[in-house]
Amino acid sequence: MNTPKDPRPLLYRAAGQLAALVATVEPGQLDTPTPCHEFDIRALIAHVLGNTLAYPHIMQGTYRAAEPGNVAEVPGDDWAAAYADAEERLIVAG
């Protein structure tokens, strides 16, 4: 019988890597296109941030499809701080 592996260590590792990457983004780069024509850098970070904020709810069984969803903006465009906070919430929830 195959026992499923706990995905949380990989999720935490990916969140940490993304937090480090987001921390390198300068404000002037946020409108830069990405290879996916649907997302510039700001929209891509917003999309991943929304998912990262959803994971603790999923882990606790309280996820609602409409919440927290995509994050359109953060105070002061401080995406690095917003993602670092989401990463911390994820780790605490796990």
Coordinates of all heavy atoms in Angstrom, one line a residue:
M1 N 0.8 -1.2 0.0 CA 0.0 0.0 0.0 C 0.9 1.2 0.0 O 1.8 1.4 0.8 CB -0.9 0.0 1.2 CG -1.8 1.2 1.3 SD -3.1 0.8 2.5 CE -2.8 2.0 3.7
N2 N 0.6 2.2 -0.9 CA 1.3 3.4 -0.9 C 0.7 4.4 0.0 O -0.5 4.8 0.0 CB 1.3 4.0 -2.3 CG 2.1 3.2 -3.3 OD1 3.0 2.5 -2.9 ND2 1.8 3.3 -4.6
T3 N 1.5 4.9 0.9 CA 1.1 6.0 1.9 C 1.5 7.3 1.3 O 2.6 7.5 0.9 CB 1.8 5.8 3.2 OG1 1.6 4.5 3.7 CG2 1.3 6.8 4.2
P4 N 0.5 8.2 1.1 CA 0.8 9.5 0.5 C 1.8 10.3 1.4 O 1.7 10.2 2.6 CB -0.5 10.2 0.5 CG -1.5 9.4 1.2 CD -0.9 8.1 1.5
K5 N 2.7 11.0 0.7 CA 3.7 11.8 1.5 C 3.0 13.1 1.9 O 2.1 13.6 1.2 CB 4.9 12.1 0.6 CG 5.7 10.9 0.3 CD 6.9 11.3 -0.5 CE 7.8 10.0 -0.7 NZ 9.0 10.4 -1.4
D6 N 3.5 13.6 3.0 CA 3.0 14.9 3.5 C 3.6 16.0 2.6 O 4.8 16.2 2.5 CB 3.6 15.1 4.9 CG 3.1 16.3 5.6 OD1 2.4 17.2 4.9 OD2 3.3 16.5 6.8
P7 N 2.7 16.7 1.9 CA 3.1 17.8 1.0 C 3.6 19.1 1.7 O 4.2 19.9 1.0 CB 1.9 18.0 0.2 CG 0.7 17.8 1.1 CD 1.2 16.6 2.0
R8 N 3.4 19.2 3.0 CA 3.7 20.5 3.6 C 5.1 20.9 3.6 O 5.4 22.0 3.3 CB 3.2 20.5 5.1 CG 1.6 20.5 5.2 CD 1.2 20.3 6.5 NE 1.6 19.0 7.1 CZ 1.3 18.6 8.3 NH1 0.6 19.4 9.1 NH2 1.7 17.4 8.7
P9 N 6.1 20.0 3.8 CA 7.5 20.4 3.7 C 7.8 21.0 2.3 O 8.5 22.0 2.3 CB 8.3 19.1 4.0 CG 7.4 18.3 4.8 CD 6.0 18.6 4.3
L10 N 7.3 20.4 1.3 CA 7.6 21.0 -0.1 C 6.9 22.3 -0.2 O 7.4 23.3 -0.9 CB 7.2 20.0 -1.2 CG 8.0 18.8 -1.3 CD1 7.5 17.8 -2.4 CD2 9.5 19.2 -1.7
L11 N 5.7 22.4 0.3 CA 4.9 23.7 0.2 C 5.7 24.8 1.0 O 5.8 25.9 0.5 CB 3.5 23.5 0.8 CG 2.6 24.7 0.7 CD1 2.4 25.1 -0.8 CD2 1.3 24.3 1.3
Y12 N 6.2 24.5 2.2 CA 6.9 25.5 2.9 C 8.2 25.9 2.2 O 8.5 27.1 2.2 CB 7.3 24.9 4.3 CG 6.1 24.5 5.2 CD1 6.2 23.5 6.1 CD2 4.8 25.1 5.0 CE1 5.1 23.1 6.9 CE2 3.7 24.7 5.8 CZ 3.9 23.7 6.7 OH 2.9 23.3 7.5
R13 N 8.8 24.9 1.6 CA 10.1 25.2 0.9 C 9.8 26.1 -0.3 O 10.5 27.1 -0.5 CB 10.7 23.9 0.5 CG 12.0 24.1 -0.2 CD 12.7 22.7 -0.5 NE 13.5 22.8 -1.7 CZ 13.9 21.8 -2.4 NH1 13.5 20.5 -2.0 NH2 14.6 21.9 -3.4
A14 N 8.8 25.8 -1.0 CA 8.4 26.6 -2.2 C 8.0 28.0 -1.8 O 8.4 29.0 -2.4 CB 7.3 26.0 -3.0
A15 N 7.3 28.1 -0.7 CA 6.8 29.4 -0.2 C 8.1 30.3 0.3 O 8.1 31.5 0.0 CB 5.9 29.3 1.0
G16 N 9.0 29.6 0.9 CA 10.3 30.3 1.3 C 11.1 30.8 0.1 O 11.6 31.9 0.1
Q17 N 11.1 29.9 -1.0 CA 11.8 30.3 -2.2 C 11.1 31.5 -2.9 O 11.8 32.4 -3.3 CB 12.0 29.1 -3.1 CG 12.9 28.1 -2.6 CD 12.9 26.8 -3.4 OE1 11.9 26.5 -4.2 NE2 13.9 26.0 -3.3
L18 N 9.8 31.5 -2.9 CA 9.1 32.5 -3.5 C 9.2 33.8 -2.7 O 9.4 34.9 -3.3 CB 7.6 32.2 -3.7 CG 6.9 33.2 -4.6 CD1 7.5 33.4 -6.0 CD2 5.4 32.8 -4.7
A19 N 9.2 33.7 -1.4 CA 9.4 34.9 -0.6 C 10.7 35.6 -0.9 O 10.8 36.8 -1.0 CB 9.3 34.6 0.9
A20 N 11.7 34.8 -1.0 CA 13.1 35.3 -1.3 C 13.1 36.0 -2.7 O 13.7 37.0 -2.9 CB 14.1 34.2 -1.2
L21 N 12.4 35.4 -3.6 CA 12.3 35.9 -5.0 C 11.5 37.2 -5.0 O 12.0 38.2 -5.6 CB 11.7 34.9 -5.9 CG 11.7 35.3 -7.4 CD1 13.0 35.5 -8.0 CD2 10.9 34.2 -8.2
V22 N 10.4 37.2 -4.4 CA 9.6 38.5 -4.3 C 10.3 39.6 -3.7 O 10.2 40.8 -4.1 CB 8.2 38.2 -3.6 CG1 7.4 39.5 -3.4 CG2 7.4 37.2 -4.4
A23 N 11.1 39.3 -2.7 CA 11.9 40.3 -2.0 C 12.9 41.0 -2.9 O 13.3 42.1 -2.6 CB 12.6 39.7 -0.8
T24 N 13.2 40.4 -4.0 CA 14.2 41.0 -5.0 C 13.5 41.9 -6.0 O 14.2 42.6 -6.7 CB 15.0 39.9 -5.7 OG1 14.1 39.2 -6.6 CG2 15.7 39.0 -4.8
V25 N 12.2 41.9 -6.1 CA 11.5 42.7 -7.1 C 11.4 44.1 -6.7 O 11.0 44.5 -5.6 CB 10.0 42.1 -7.3 CG1 9.2 43.0 -8.2 CG2 10.1 40.7 -7.8
E26 N 11.9 45.0 -7.5 CA 11.9 46.4 -7.3 C 10.5 47.0 -7.7 O 9.9 46.4 -8.7 CB 13.0 47.1 -8.1 CG 14.4 46.7 -7.7 CD 14.8 47.2 -6.3 OE1 14.3 48.2 -5.9 OE2 15.6 46.5 -5.7
P27 N 10.0 48.1 -7.1 CA 8.7 48.6 -7.5 C 8.6 48.9 -9.0 O 7.5 48.7 -9.6 CB 8.6 49.9 -6.7 CG 9.4 49.6 -5.5 CD 10.6 48.8 -6.0
G28 N 9.6 49.4 -9.6 CA 9.6 49.7 -11.0 C 9.4 48.4 -11.9 O 9.2 48.6 -13.1
Q29 N 9.6 47.3 -11.4 CA 9.5 46.0 -12.2 C 8.1 45.4 -12.1 O 7.8 44.5 -12.9 CB 10.5 45.0 -11.6 CG 11.9 45.4 -11.8 CD 12.8 44.4 -11.1 OE1 12.7 44.0 -9.9 NE2 13.8 43.8 -11.9
L30 N 7.2 45.9 -11.3 CA 5.9 45.3 -11.1 C 5.0 45.3 -12.3 O 4.2 44.3 -12.5 CB 5.2 46.0 -9.9 CG 5.8 45.8 -8.5 CD1 5.1 46.7 -7.5 CD2 5.6 44.3 -8.1
D31 N 5.2 46.2 -13.2 CA 4.4 46.2 -14.5 C 5.1 45.5 -15.6 O 4.6 45.4 -16.7 CB 4.1 47.6 -14.9 CG 3.2 48.3 -13.9 OD1 2.3 47.7 -13.3 OD2 3.4 49.5 -13.6
T32 N 6.2 44.8 -15.3 CA 6.9 44.1 -16.4 C 6.2 42.8 -16.8 O 5.7 42.1 -15.9 CB 8.3 43.7 -15.8 OG1 9.0 44.8 -15.4 CG2 9.1 42.9 -16.9
P33 N 6.0 42.5 -18.1 CA 5.3 41.3 -18.5 C 6.1 40.1 -18.0 O 7.3 40.1 -17.8 CB 5.3 41.4 -20.0 CG 5.9 42.7 -20.4 CD 6.5 43.3 -19.2
T34 N 5.3 39.0 -18.0 CA 5.9 37.7 -17.7 C 5.7 36.8 -19.0 O 4.9 37.3 -19.9 CB 5.2 37.0 -16.5 OG1 3.9 36.7 -16.8 CG2 5.3 37.8 -15.3
P35 N 6.2 35.6 -19.0 CA 6.0 34.8 -20.2 C 4.5 34.5 -20.4 O 4.1 34.2 -21.5 CB 6.8 33.5 -19.9 CG 7.9 34.0 -19.1 CD 7.3 35.1 -18.2
C36 N 3.7 34.5 -19.3 CA 2.3 34.3 -19.4 C 1.6 35.6 -19.7 O 1.7 36.5 -18.9 CB 1.7 33.6 -18.2 SG 0.0 33.3 -18.2
H37 N 1.0 35.8 -20.9 CA 0.5 37.1 -21.3 C -0.6 37.6 -20.3 O -0.9 38.8 -20.4 CB 0.0 37.0 -22.7 CG -1.3 36.2 -22.9 ND1 -1.2 34.8 -23.1 CD2 -2.6 36.6 -22.9 CE1 -2.5 34.4 -23.2 NE2 -3.3 35.4 -23.1
E38 N -1.2 36.7 -19.5 CA -2.3 37.2 -18.6 C -1.7 37.9 -17.4 O -2.5 38.5 -16.7 CB -3.0 35.9 -18.1 CG -3.8 35.2 -19.2 CD -4.5 34.0 -18.7 OE1 -5.1 34.0 -17.6 OE2 -4.5 33.0 -19.5
F39 N -0.4 37.8 -17.1 CA 0.1 38.3 -15.9 C 1.4 39.2 -16.1 O 2.3 38.8 -16.8 CB 0.6 37.2 -14.9 CG -0.4 36.2 -14.4 CD1 -0.6 35.0 -15.0 CD2 -1.3 36.6 -13.4 CE1 -1.6 34.1 -14.5 CE2 -2.3 35.8 -12.9 CZ -2.4 34.5 -13.5
D40 N 1.3 40.4 -15.5 CA 2.6 41.1 -15.3 C 3.1 40.6 -14.0 O 2.5 39.8 -13.3 CB 2.4 42.6 -15.4 CG 1.5 43.2 -14.4 OD1 1.1 42.5 -13.4 OD2 1.1 44.4 -14.6
I41 N 4.3 41.1 -13.5 CA 4.8 40.6 -12.3 C 3.9 40.9 -11.1 O 3.7 40.0 -10.2 CB 6.2 41.2 -12.1 CG1 7.2 40.7 -13.1 CG2 6.7 41.0 -10.6 CD1 8.6 41.2 -13.1
R42 N 3.3 42.1 -11.0 CA 2.4 42.4 -9.9 C 1.2 41.4 -9.9 O 0.9 40.8 -8.9 CB 1.8 43.8 -10.1 CG 0.8 44.1 -9.0 CD 0.1 45.5 -9.2 NE 1.1 46.6 -8.8 CZ 1.7 47.4 -9.7 NH1 1.5 47.3 -11.0 NH2 2.5 48.3 -9.2
A43 N 0.6 41.1 -11.1 CA -0.5 40.2 -11.1 C -0.1 38.8 -10.8 O -0.9 38.0 -10.1 CB -1.2 40.2 -12.5
L44 N 1.1 38.4 -11.2 CA 1.6 37.0 -10.8 C 1.8 36.9 -9.3 O 1.4 35.9 -8.7 CB 2.9 36.7 -11.6 CG 3.5 35.3 -11.3 CD1 2.5 34.2 -11.7 CD2 4.8 35.2 -12.1
I45 N 2.4 37.9 -8.7 CA 2.6 37.9 -7.3 C 1.3 37.9 -6.6 O 1.0 37.1 -5.6 CB 3.5 39.0 -6.8 CG1 4.9 38.9 -7.3 CG2 3.5 39.1 -5.3 CD1 5.8 40.2 -7.1
A46 N 0.3 38.7 -7.1 CA -1.0 38.8 -6.5 C -1.7 37.4 -6.5 O -2.3 37.0 -5.5 CB -1.8 39.8 -7.2
H47 N -1.6 36.7 -7.6 CA -2.2 35.4 -7.8 C -1.6 34.4 -6.8 O -2.3 33.7 -6.1 CB -2.0 35.0 -9.3 CG -2.4 33.6 -9.5 ND1 -3.8 33.2 -9.6 CD2 -1.7 32.4 -9.8 CE1 -3.9 31.9 -9.9 NE2 -2.6 31.4 -10.0
V48 N -0.3 34.4 -6.8 CA 0.4 33.4 -5.9 C 0.1 33.8 -4.4 O -0.1 32.9 -3.5 CB 1.9 33.3 -6.2 CG1 2.6 32.3 -5.2 CG2 2.1 32.8 -7.6
L49 N 0.1 35.1 -4.1 CA -0.2 35.5 -2.7 C -1.6 35.1 -2.3 O -1.8 34.6 -1.2 CB 0.0 37.0 -2.7 CG -0.4 37.7 -1.3 CD1 0.4 37.2 -0.2 CD2 -0.3 39.2 -1.5
G50 N -2.6 35.2 -3.2 CA -3.9 34.8 -2.9 C -4.0 33.3 -2.6 O -4.6 32.9 -1.7
N51 N -3.3 32.5 -3.4 CA -3.2 31.1 -3.2 C -2.5 30.7 -1.9 O -3.0 29.9 -1.1 CB -2.6 30.3 -4.3 CG -3.4 30.3 -5.5 OD1 -4.6 30.2 -5.5 ND2 -2.8 30.4 -6.7
T52 N -1.4 31.4 -1.6 CA -0.7 31.2 -0.3 C -1.6 31.5 0.9 O -1.5 30.8 1.9 CB 0.6 31.9 -0.3 OG1 1.4 31.6 -1.5 CG2 1.4 31.6 0.9
L53 N -2.4 32.6 0.8 CA -3.3 32.9 1.9 C -4.4 31.9 2.0 O -5.0 31.7 3.1 CB -3.9 34.3 1.6 CG -2.9 35.5 1.8 CD1 -3.5 36.8 1.3 CD2 -2.5 35.6 3.3
A54 N -4.7 31.2 0.9 CA -5.8 30.2 0.9 C -5.3 28.9 1.6 O -6.1 28.2 2.2 CB -6.3 29.9 -0.5
Y55 N -4.1 28.5 1.5 CA -3.6 27.2 2.0 C -3.9 27.0 3.5 O -4.3 25.9 3.8 CB -2.1 27.0 1.7 CG -1.8 26.8 0.2 CD1 -0.7 27.5 -0.3 CD2 -2.6 26.0 -0.6 CE1 -0.4 27.3 -1.7 CE2 -2.3 25.9 -1.9 CZ -1.2 26.5 -2.5 OH -0.9 26.3 -3.8
P56 N -3.7 28.0 4.3 CA -4.0 27.7 5.8 C -5.5 27.4 5.9 O -5.8 26.5 6.8 CB -3.6 29.0 6.5 CG -2.6 29.6 5.6 CD -3.0 29.3 4.2
H57 N -6.3 28.0 5.2 CA -7.8 27.7 5.2 C -8.1 26.3 4.8 O -8.9 25.6 5.3 CB -8.6 28.7 4.4 CG -8.5 30.1 4.9 ND1 -9.2 30.6 6.0 CD2 -7.8 31.2 4.5 CE1 -9.0 31.8 6.3 NE2 -8.1 32.2 5.4
I58 N -7.4 25.9 3.7 CA -7.5 24.6 3.2 C -7.1 23.6 4.2 O -7.7 22.6 4.4 CB -6.8 24.4 1.8 CG1 -7.4 25.3 0.7 CG2 -6.7 23.0 1.4 CD1 -6.6 25.5 -0.5
M59 N -5.9 23.8 4.8 CA -5.4 22.9 5.8 C -6.3 22.7 7.0 O -6.4 21.7 7.6 CB -4.0 23.4 6.3 CG -2.9 23.4 5.4 SD -1.5 24.2 6.1 CE -0.2 23.7 5.0
Q60 N -7.0 23.8 7.3 CA -7.9 23.8 8.5 C -9.4 23.4 8.1 O -10.2 23.3 9.0 CB -7.9 25.1 9.2 CG -6.6 25.5 9.8 CD -6.4 26.9 10.2 OE1 -7.3 27.7 9.9 NE2 -5.3 27.3 10.8
G61 N -9.6 23.2 6.8 CA -10.9 22.8 6.4 C -11.9 23.9 6.4 O -13.1 23.6 6.4
T62 N -11.5 25.1 6.3 CA -12.4 26.3 6.4 C -12.3 27.1 5.1 O -12.8 28.2 5.0 CB -12.0 27.2 7.5 OG1 -10.7 27.7 7.3 CG2 -12.1 26.5 8.9
Y63 N -11.8 26.5 4.0 CA -11.7 27.2 2.8 C -13.0 27.5 2.1 O -13.8 26.6 2.0 CB -10.7 26.5 1.8 CG -10.6 27.1 0.5 CD1 -9.8 28.3 0.3 CD2 -11.2 26.6 -0.7 CE1 -9.7 28.9 -0.9 CE2 -11.0 27.2 -1.9 CZ -10.3 28.3 -2.0 OH -10.1 29.0 -3.2
R64 N -13.2 28.7 1.6 CA -14.4 29.1 0.8 C -13.8 29.6 -0.5 O -12.9 30.4 -0.5 CB -15.2 30.1 1.5 CG -15.9 29.6 2.8 CD -16.8 30.7 3.4 NE -16.0 31.9 3.6 CZ -15.7 32.3 4.9 NH1 -16.1 31.7 5.9 NH2 -15.1 33.5 5.0
A65 N -14.3 29.1 -1.6 CA -13.8 29.4 -2.9 C -13.6 30.9 -3.1 O -12.7 31.3 -3.9 CB -14.7 28.8 -4.0
A66 N -14.4 31.8 -2.6 CA -14.3 33.2 -2.8 C -13.3 33.9 -1.9 O -13.1 35.1 -2.0 CB -15.7 33.9 -2.7
E67 N -12.7 33.2 -0.9 CA -11.9 33.9 0.0 C -10.6 33.0 0.3 O -10.7 31.8 0.4 CB -12.7 34.0 1.3 CG -11.9 34.9 2.3 CD -12.8 35.1 3.6 OE1 -13.1 34.1 4.2 OE2 -13.1 36.2 3.9
P68 N -9.4 33.6 0.4 CA -9.2 35.0 0.2 C -9.0 35.4 -1.2 O -9.1 36.6 -1.5 CB -7.8 35.2 0.9 CG -7.2 33.9 0.9 CD -8.3 32.9 0.8
G69 N -8.9 34.5 -2.2 CA -8.8 34.9 -3.6 C -7.6 35.6 -4.0 O -6.6 35.7 -3.3
N70 N -7.7 36.2 -5.2 CA -6.6 37.0 -5.7 C -6.5 38.3 -4.9 O -7.5 38.9 -4.5 CB -6.9 37.3 -7.2 CG -5.6 37.6 -8.0 OD1 -4.5 37.2 -7.6 ND2 -5.8 38.3 -9.0
V71 N -5.3 38.7 -4.7 CA -5.0 40.0 -4.0 C -4.7 41.1 -5.0 O -3.7 41.0 -5.7 CB -3.8 39.8 -3.0 CG1 -3.5 41.1 -2.3 CG2 -4.1 38.7 -2.0
A72 N -5.6 42.1 -5.1 CA -5.4 43.1 -6.1 C -4.3 44.1 -5.8 O -3.7 44.6 -6.7 CB -6.7 43.8 -6.4
E73 N -4.2 44.4 -4.5 CA -3.2 45.4 -4.1 C -2.8 45.2 -2.7 O -3.5 44.5 -1.9 CB -3.7 46.8 -4.3 CG -5.0 47.1 -3.6 CD -5.5 48.5 -3.9 OE1 -5.8 48.8 -5.1 OE2 -5.6 49.3 -2.9
V74 N -1.7 45.7 -2.3 CA -1.2 45.7 -0.9 C -0.8 47.1 -0.5 O -0.4 47.9 -1.4 CB -0.1 44.6 -0.7 CG1 -0.5 43.2 -1.1 CG2 1.2 45.0 -1.5
P75 N -0.8 47.4 0.8 CA -0.4 48.7 1.2 C 1.0 49.1 0.8 O 1.9 48.3 0.9 CB -0.5 48.6 2.7 CG -1.5 47.5 3.0 CD -1.3 46.5 1.8
G76 N 1.1 50.2 0.2 CA 2.4 50.7 -0.3 C 3.1 49.9 -1.3 O 4.3 50.0 -1.5
D77 N 2.3 49.0 -2.0 CA 2.9 48.1 -3.0 C 4.0 47.3 -2.4 O 5.0 46.9 -3.1 CB 3.5 48.9 -4.2 CG 2.6 48.8 -5.4 OD1 1.5 48.1 -5.3 OD2 2.9 49.4 -6.5
D78 N 4.0 47.0 -1.1 CA 5.0 46.2 -0.4 C 4.7 44.7 -0.5 O 4.3 44.1 0.4 CB 5.2 46.6 1.0 CG 6.5 46.1 1.7 OD1 7.1 45.2 1.0 OD2 6.8 46.5 2.8
W79 N 4.9 44.2 -1.8 CA 4.5 42.8 -2.0 C 5.4 41.9 -1.3 O 5.0 40.8 -0.9 CB 4.6 42.6 -3.5 CG 3.6 43.3 -4.3 CD1 3.7 44.6 -4.9 CD2 2.2 42.9 -4.5 NE1 2.5 44.9 -5.4 CE2 1.6 43.9 -5.2 CE3 1.5 41.8 -4.1 CZ2 0.2 43.9 -5.5 CZ3 0.1 41.7 -4.4 CH2 -0.5 42.8 -5.1
A80 N 6.7 42.2 -1.0 CA 7.6 41.4 -0.3 C 7.1 41.2 1.1 O 7.0 40.1 1.6 CB 9.0 42.0 -0.3
A81 N 6.6 42.2 1.8 CA 6.1 42.1 3.2 C 4.8 41.3 3.2 O 4.6 40.5 4.1 CB 5.9 43.5 3.8
A82 N 4.0 41.6 2.2 CA 2.7 40.9 2.1 C 2.9 39.4 1.9 O 2.3 38.5 2.6 CB 1.8 41.4 1.0
Y83 N 3.9 39.0 1.0 CA 4.1 37.6 0.8 C 4.8 37.0 2.0 O 4.5 35.8 2.4 CB 4.9 37.3 -0.5 CG 4.8 35.8 -0.8 CD1 3.7 35.3 -1.4 CD2 5.8 35.0 -0.3 CE1 3.6 33.9 -1.6 CE2 5.7 33.6 -0.5 CZ 4.6 33.1 -1.1 OH 4.5 31.8 -1.3
A84 N 5.7 37.7 2.7 CA 6.4 37.1 3.9 C 5.3 36.9 5.0 O 5.4 35.8 5.7 CB 7.4 38.1 4.4
D85 N 4.4 37.8 5.1 CA 3.3 37.6 6.1 C 2.5 36.3 5.7 O 2.1 35.5 6.6 CB 2.4 38.8 6.1 CG 1.3 38.6 7.1 OD1 1.6 38.4 8.3 OD2 0.1 38.7 6.7
A86 N 2.1 36.2 4.4 CA 1.4 35.0 4.0 C 2.2 33.7 4.2 O 1.6 32.7 4.6 CB 1.0 35.1 2.5
E87 N 3.5 33.7 4.0 CA 4.3 32.6 4.2 C 4.3 32.2 5.7 O 4.1 31.0 6.1 CB 5.7 32.9 3.8 CG 6.7 31.7 4.1 CD 8.1 32.1 4.0 OE1 8.5 33.3 3.9 OE2 9.0 31.2 4.0
E88 N 4.4 33.2 6.6 CA 4.3 33.0 8.0 C 3.0 32.3 8.4 O 2.9 31.4 9.2 CB 4.6 34.3 8.8 CG 4.5 34.1 10.3 CD 5.7 33.3 10.8 OE1 6.7 33.2 10.2 OE2 5.5 32.7 11.9
R89 N 1.9 32.9 7.9 CA 0.6 32.3 8.2 C 0.5 30.8 7.8 O -0.1 30.0 8.5 CB -0.5 33.1 7.5 CG -0.7 34.5 8.0 CD -1.8 35.1 7.3 NE -1.9 36.5 7.6 CZ -3.0 37.3 7.3 NH1 -4.1 36.8 6.8 NH2 -3.0 38.6 7.6
L90 N 1.1 30.5 6.6 CA 1.1 29.2 6.1 C 1.8 28.3 7.1 O 1.3 27.2 7.4 CB 1.7 29.2 4.7 CG 2.0 27.8 4.1 CD1 0.7 27.1 3.9 CD2 2.8 27.9 2.8
I91 N 3.0 28.7 7.5 CA 3.8 27.8 8.4 C 3.1 27.7 9.8 O 3.0 26.5 10.3 CB 5.2 28.4 8.5 CG1 5.9 28.3 7.2 CG2 6.0 27.7 9.7 CD1 7.2 29.1 7.1
V92 N 2.5 28.7 10.3 CA 1.8 28.6 11.6 C 0.6 27.7 11.5 O 0.3 26.9 12.4 CB 1.4 30.0 12.1 CG1 0.4 29.9 13.2 CG2 2.6 30.8 12.5
A93 N -0.1 27.7 10.4 CA -1.3 26.9 10.2 C -0.9 25.4 10.1 O -1.7 24.6 10.4 CB -2.1 27.3 8.9
G94 N 0.2 25.1 9.5 CA 0.6 23.8 9.3 C 1.0 23.0 10.5 O 1.0 21.9 10.7

